[in-house]
Amino acid sequence: AKFEKALVPIAAVALGEADRGKVSFDAFFAHILMHELMHGLGPHQLAGNTTVRQELKDMYSPIEEAKADISGLWALQQLADRSVVSPQIAQTMYTTFLASCFRSIRFGVTEAHGKGIAMQLNYLLDQGAFVVNADGTFSVVDAKIRDAVAGLTRDLMTLEAHGDYAGAQALLGRMVAIRPEVQRVLDKLTGVPVDIEPRFVTAREILKK
């Protein structure tokens, strides 16, 4: 439902016409799965009997969510290079992620996922891995996306490994913003649901009994 009712309509607005066919459910699902797995990547316990969470304080959640997102994309690339995931996922994962950035940023930049996705989107734009087309739509630059994803993965892992609160604060302070070109796309999405509320029909029937 999230893919069909939110991501596909968003892609029709946010992406250039040539890229809209490069959005796939398998890539969307696989990246969400990798996001959850990659929460386990990197150190959690640091020297001095402290943790990454303790050291990064209020910066921890957005940094950790961004780390899981971007390293999940990095991990999918590693699997694609080894032909572990299907060629169809390999061919659509970056464009699907770009469209999904607009889905996630609509949750707002006051919560962890929204802050994390805003930072990622702006970083990839600054690296030239995402570009804004003349008509206001967005595209992936194939020649730059792979290195940019690896670079941000490295940067976030390093912040966590060092428990670098000041560095995390500086990065988020600089990069968590909805830029005008992004806002113009968001303004066109008023008819698209922000999220899906599931109805647990069977559970409700059981509770009635």
Side-chain angles (χ1 to χ4, degrees):
K2 285 176 182 280
F3 179 80
E4 293 177 358
K5 303 298 184 184
L7 190 64
V8 171
I10 287 171
V13 173
L15 302 183
E17 188 173 354
D19 292 321
R20 292 168 196 164
K22 299 176 186 175
V23 174
S24 77
F25 174 76
D26 285 348
F28 177 66
F29 182 90
H31 179 252
I32 290 173
L33 175 62
M34 292 307 298
H35 169 107
E36 300 304 336
L37 291 172
M38 298 303 273
H39 275 304
L41 185 67
H44 293 270
Q45 197 79 20
L46 301 178
N49 197 31
T50 186
T51 66
V52 175
R53 183 185 293 274
Q54 288 172 319
E55 293 302 311
L56 294 188
K57 306 170 192 173
D58 55 316
M59 299 293 111
Y60 174 76
S61 290
I63 290 292
E64 176 62 21
E65 293 302 334
K67 181 208 81 175
D69 263 345
I70 203 71
S71 66
L73 203 56
W74 174 85
L76 272 182
Q77 182 65 65
Q78 306 312 303
L79 296 178
D81 290 347
R82 293 161 176 77
S83 300
V84 176
V85 298
S86 73
Q88 194 258 358
I89 289 177
Q91 292 159 9
T92 58
M93 61 186 184
Y94 291 123
T95 306
T96 301
F97 177 72
L98 171 55
S100 196
C101 285
F102 287 92
R103 182 186 69 87
S104 297
I105 207 170
R106 297 177 80 209
F107 296 134
V109 294
T110 59
E111 67 90 43
H113 291 83
K115 287 180 180 179
I117 208 70
M119 183 263 286
Q120 292 170 83
L121 179 56
N122 290 334
Y123 180 99
L124 295 172
L125 283 166
D126 289 349
Q127 295 296 311
F130 291 160
V131 291
V132 186
N133 302 313
D135 63 357
T137 60
F138 286 65
S139 294
V140 175
V141 178
D142 292 336
K144 295 185 177 182
I145 185 64
R146 180 173 176 150
D147 285 347
V149 166
L152 183 53
T153 298
R154 180 179 57 249
D155 290 350
L156 295 179
M157 291 289 182
T158 302
L159 286 174
E160 290 199 343
H162 292 169
D164 186 357
Y165 178 78
Q169 191 175 43
L171 177 63
L172 291 171
R174 187 172 71 251
M175 302 297 276
V176 175
I178 298 180
R179 295 178 179 177
E181 58 269 33
V182 173
Q183 187 62 55
R184 282 192 284 272
V185 171
L186 297 178
D187 289 342
K188 298 175 183 178
L189 300 176
T190 54
V192 180
V194 173
D195 204 0
I196 304 299
E197 183 178 357
R199 294 173 59 199
F200 300 102
V201 179
T202 302
R204 289 177 181 175
E205 289 300 317
I206 292 172
L207 287 172
K208 286 180 184 178
K209 298 175 182 178

